Amino acid sequence: MASGWRGILGFDYGIVQAPLGPDISGPELAAAVANAGAIGLIRLPDFPAPDYVREMIRKTRSLTSKPFGAAIVLPFPYGENLRVVLEEKLAVLQVYWGEFPRERVEEAHRAGVKVLHQVGSLEEAAKAKEAGVDGIIIQGREAGGHVIGQEGLFPLLPRVVDLVSDSGIPVIAAGGIVDGRGYVAALALGAQGVCLGTRFLATEESFAHPIYKEKLTEMSCTDYTNLFGRARWSYAPHRILETPFYTGWKNLPDQETEESQPIIGQSIIHGVHNDIHRFAGAAPNATATGDVSRMVMYAGQGVGLITEIIPAGEVVQRMVAEAKAIIRERLSDFQ
């Protein structure tokens, strides 16, 4: 298999680094992934900050000569930040949690920017196909962080592959994939790439707090909940680590939100100082202070396979090598 094995959208490999919020996938992580030949994405702010976004993009460019992308979450104001992405002509724009209509996709295309739309259902995939996107990330319920879909990845993935089979749009699988075995399984179901969040969260370059990273290597159980961030984003269920704090509070009545809760720490998120209330939805980044163990810790169901913090480039290299070995050694008899 050549260097460009399973490359998509002009990149060497079909591996996408998920945008990790609120700012955990910053320039350092995206650049490290890009340098390894995969698709690195910086997570943009959920508020208008065009000058800051331009600074993030230029910092990333100072760390890599390879193409990379940026990601926006659609329920929040994104127009000004999107304008900067298009002006800076990034390789890829990833969008999530809402519709991104054809006119927006065509606007990106006029700027030379390819669009990846992450969806959680067959219906959403059909809308993304109709909009003319360049790739569809289909996310299963196994994924960490905010998860819009209700179906498991592997039952849903081949249906989406069939849906877009006449369009040439590559399908990228997301949810619980952390190694070459998951990569090959997704390829067998028709995906042309995979998107990893939790595995890239647990890397040297991610901007996650050290305690958060440590928990990812120590814990293996997750849960799907709506406990955190209810006031800010009430319809956004999420998958998190089952920390002792979460276990003790997971049955909190739905009407209770972070707004009335005590402050348990502080952090700087995209250059803005924030008080962190109990049950807030912002995962602890490297600047977080206070009681980090009581903050939300997003993670997918594949977290139990993560046992060490390694460089992001090594994640890419290992996945490709493992996938090649599996296909060569375990599946060659079927050729």
Side-chain angles (χ1 to χ4, degrees):
M1 295 179 184
S3 173
W5 179 69
R6 294 296 174 186
I8 56 174
L9 303 179
F11 291 79
D12 291 342
Y13 302 119
I15 298 172
V16 180
Q17 164 247 306
L20 306 169
D23 62 349
I24 288 173
S25 59
E28 291 79 9
L29 178 57
V33 173
N35 284 332
I39 302 177
L41 299 172
I42 53 174
R43 172 68 150 77
L44 300 189
D46 293 333
F47 53 87
D51 292 340
Y52 179 81
V53 169
R54 200 179 304 275
E55 181 183 331
M56 287 182 70
I57 292 170
R58 292 181 177 177
K59 181 175 181 180
T60 309
R61 283 187 171 140
S62 74
L63 299 172
T64 182
S65 60
K66 298 286 190 71
F68 62 92
I72 58 176
V73 181
L74 295 170
F76 301 107
Y78 65 82
E80 293 185 37
N81 297 341
L82 173 60
R83 173 177 56 79
V84 175
V85 171
L86 302 187
E87 288 174 353
E88 293 288 334
K89 298 185 181 301
L90 294 189
V92 175
L93 168 69
Q94 192 257 27
V95 296
Y96 184 37
W97 211 283
E99 294 187 25
F100 201 70
R102 176 172 288 274
E103 54 267 30
R104 283 295 200 186
V105 175
E106 291 175 348
E107 180 185 12
H109 286 170
R110 286 193 295 271
V113 178
K114 296 177 181 178
V115 178
L116 286 176
H117 196 146
Q118 181 166 303
V119 300
S121 70
L122 192 67
E123 293 75 18
E124 288 182 311
K127 291 178 181 178
K129 175 187 176 184
E130 178 62 27
V133 301
D134 301 280
I136 294 175
I137 301 174
I138 184 68
Q139 184 191 53
R141 201 170 186 264
E142 304 92 334
H146 293 88
V147 185
I148 197 170
Q150 295 296 314
E151 297 186 61
L153 174 61
F154 282 4
L156 180 58
L157 173 58
R159 296 167 63 203
V160 174
V161 170
D162 291 346
L163 173 72
V164 304
S165 60
D166 60 347
S167 68
I169 297 173
V171 177
I172 299 158
I177 298 172
V178 299
D179 59 18
R181 292 172 292 183
Y183 195 176
V184 173
L187 296 177
L189 291 174
Q192 290 179 250
V194 289
C195 181
L196 286 71
T198 309
R199 177 60 274 191
F200 282 118
L201 179 63
T203 59
E204 293 178 1
E205 296 88 350
S206 96
F207 199 53
H209 193 281
I211 292 176
Y212 185 7
K213 293 184 185 183
E214 180 183 2
K215 295 296 183 185
L216 293 170
T217 66
E218 295 175 347
M219 304 185 70
S220 59
C221 293
T222 67
D223 199 10
Y224 187 71
T225 180
N226 73 338
L227 179 65
F228 294 92
R230 292 173 179 172
R232 184 168 183 268
W233 201 4
S234 61
Y235 57 97
H238 36 271
R239 183 171 297 281
I240 64 170
L241 286 176
E242 284 196 19
T243 63
F245 171 76
Y246 168 72
T247 301
W249 289 91
K250 64 181 180 180
N251 295 319
L252 188 76
D254 286 344
Q255 67 270 20
E256 296 287 339
T257 73
E258 67 271 26
E259 288 185 330
S260 61
Q261 298 297 316
I263 294 171
I264 61 171
Q266 288 81 33
S267 69
I268 301 171
I269 299 173
H270 288 303
V272 178
H273 289 261
N274 289 267
D275 290 331
I276 301 177
H277 291 256
R278 187 168 61 190
F279 308 130
N285 66 19
T287 73
T289 59
D291 194 347
V292 174
S293 66
R294 291 197 290 164
M295 298 176 189
V296 63
M297 295 185 181
Y298 301 114
Q301 286 187 324
V303 69
L305 295 170
I306 299 172
T307 59
E308 57 182 339
I309 308 301
I310 60 176
E314 190 171 334
V315 171
V316 176
Q317 294 161 4
R318 285 189 187 183
M319 283 200 72
V320 172
E322 288 171 5
K324 288 180 179 180
I326 290 168
I327 293 171
R328 181 177 62 248
E329 298 169 8
R330 302 185 191 179
L331 304 180
S332 59
D333 289 345
F334 296 99
Q335 294 179 359

